Amino acid sequence: MFISIADILSRRFPDKHFPRFFVRYIEHIIHQDEMNAILACTGNLEGVDFIHAVLDELGVRVRVEHKERIPQTKSPLVFVSNHPLGGVDGMVLLWILNENRGGRVKAIVNDFLMNVTPLKELFVPVNKVGGQCREYAQKQRELWESDCDVLTFPAGACSRRQEGGVIADLPWRDTFIRRAKEYGRDVVPIWFEGQNSRFFYNLAYWRKKFGIRMNIEMLFLVDEMFKARGKEFVVHIGHRIPYGNL
């Protein structure tokens, strides 16, 4: 399986024609050639095995604080986390949680990520551009009704620089609280230490200042992933919160 931006754009926007220079620029900023080289090296790996291979290729190291707080119960849970990076953090959490929860954790993600075929089994899509389609709504309902754990990022996007220069999540949506109560799932909060580059935050800040609605900075999240080469990240597991206390 190989990633082709040209094919992805033609499927997602069948009625639009994109100039070749634009396609080539997107191929460059998402590191299409490097991504395909990694895919070639990982062979037929899927799911957590694929994530482990990618993190190993990037030389990413992880330290988990209070791993013992990850419940061993068979009851399905909701894991909620801040979203500082928008890429590596999701992969790291899926790797850690699935290794400690018997491979039963799935993440609610931007539907664009469904193009990363080796990870599709770990993803349940949500449409971040336009309205939510019936198919995606059904897949999410099936996830909440299943025995699988849910990993979700309530901010809905990775952290941004706020007024005053503070790097923080966007306001969290309370959907996970309503779903946890509805389906009787306890919640385990997670704090992931990490930041993207100054370029990413500046781009997001000025894009918003100029009133540009399109999330341009999202295109650079793969570039941020490659900038994480050789870094160590710390994951803090919080105390389990019974759904009746939410």
Side-chain angles (χ1 to χ4, degrees):
M1 194 284 292
F2 293 96
I3 293 174
S4 168
I5 286 298
D7 290 346
I8 292 172
L9 290 174
S10 65
R11 290 197 305 270
R12 193 174 181 95
F13 306 100
D15 299 326
K16 293 185 178 181
H17 172 72
F18 295 94
R20 182 57 188 160
F21 76 87
F22 174 80
V23 176
R24 290 183 64 84
Y25 179 68
I26 300 300
E27 290 173 348
H28 170 70
I29 63 175
I30 69 117
H31 295 254
Q32 179 172 291
D33 290 344
E34 289 177 83
M35 289 286 287
N36 285 333
I38 290 176
L39 290 171
C41 291
T42 55
N44 296 320
L45 295 178
E46 294 182 349
V48 176
D49 291 334
F50 175 77
I51 289 176
H52 188 273
V54 172
L55 294 177
D56 187 60
E57 176 69 23
L58 294 174
V60 168
R61 304 182 307 281
V62 182
R63 188 170 84 248
V64 182
E65 297 288 341
H66 300 294
K67 185 186 293 186
E68 74 279 0
R69 293 177 181 169
I70 300 176
Q72 298 303 306
T73 176
K74 293 184 178 180
S75 302
L77 302 167
V78 183
F79 293 94
V80 295
S81 176
N82 64 317
H83 204 13
L85 306 178
V88 170
D89 46 359
M91 289 195 295
V92 166
L93 291 180
L94 279 170
W95 170 42
I96 292 170
L97 295 175
N98 272 299
E99 284 202 336
N100 287 273
R101 291 288 293 168
R104 56 189 293 185
V105 183
K106 294 182 182 291
I108 297 176
V109 301
N110 186 321
D111 65 335
F112 184 81
L113 292 176
M114 301 304 289
N115 292 290
V116 186
T117 303
L119 294 180
K120 287 179 68 173
E121 67 179 59
L122 300 178
F123 291 162
V124 175
V126 60
N127 191 351
K128 295 292 185 181
V129 181
Q132 180 77 308
C133 72
R134 182 177 300 178
E135 177 189 358
Y136 289 176
Q138 176 63 26
K139 288 182 180 297
Q140 290 176 48
R141 185 160 48 250
E142 290 172 354
L143 172 62
W144 286 104
E145 292 174 349
S146 74
D147 292 330
C148 293
D149 297 326
V150 176
L151 168 62
T152 184
F153 301 95
C158 64
S159 304
R160 300 292 196 275
R161 189 176 74 194
Q162 311 297 330
E163 294 294 341
V166 177
I167 306 299
D169 264 13
L170 301 174
W172 281 22
R173 300 166 184 166
D174 65 358
T175 305
F176 76 94
I177 296 177
R178 290 187 279 110
R179 293 289 181 266
K181 289 181 176 180
E182 180 180 357
Y183 293 97
R185 292 170 175 253
D186 293 348
V187 173
V188 179
I190 296 173
W191 176 256
F192 195 108
E193 291 188 31
Q195 287 190 358
N196 282 323
S197 68
R198 181 178 298 179
F199 167 81
F200 177 85
Y201 296 123
N202 287 341
L203 176 62
Y205 179 82
W206 289 109
R207 185 268 301 173
K208 185 177 179 180
K209 279 292 185 182
F210 283 116
I212 300 173
R213 298 184 64 182
M214 181 180 177
N215 190 350
I216 301 172
E217 62 271 19
M218 183 181 72
L219 298 174
F220 289 86
L221 286 178
V222 177
D223 186 53
E224 294 297 322
M225 181 183 76
F226 280 96
K227 288 178 181 177
R229 283 187 184 275
K231 292 185 178 180
E232 179 180 71
F233 297 100
V234 182
V235 178
H236 302 266
I237 309 297
H239 292 285
R240 176 178 180 175
I241 305 172
Y243 67 89
N245 293 349
L246 295 172

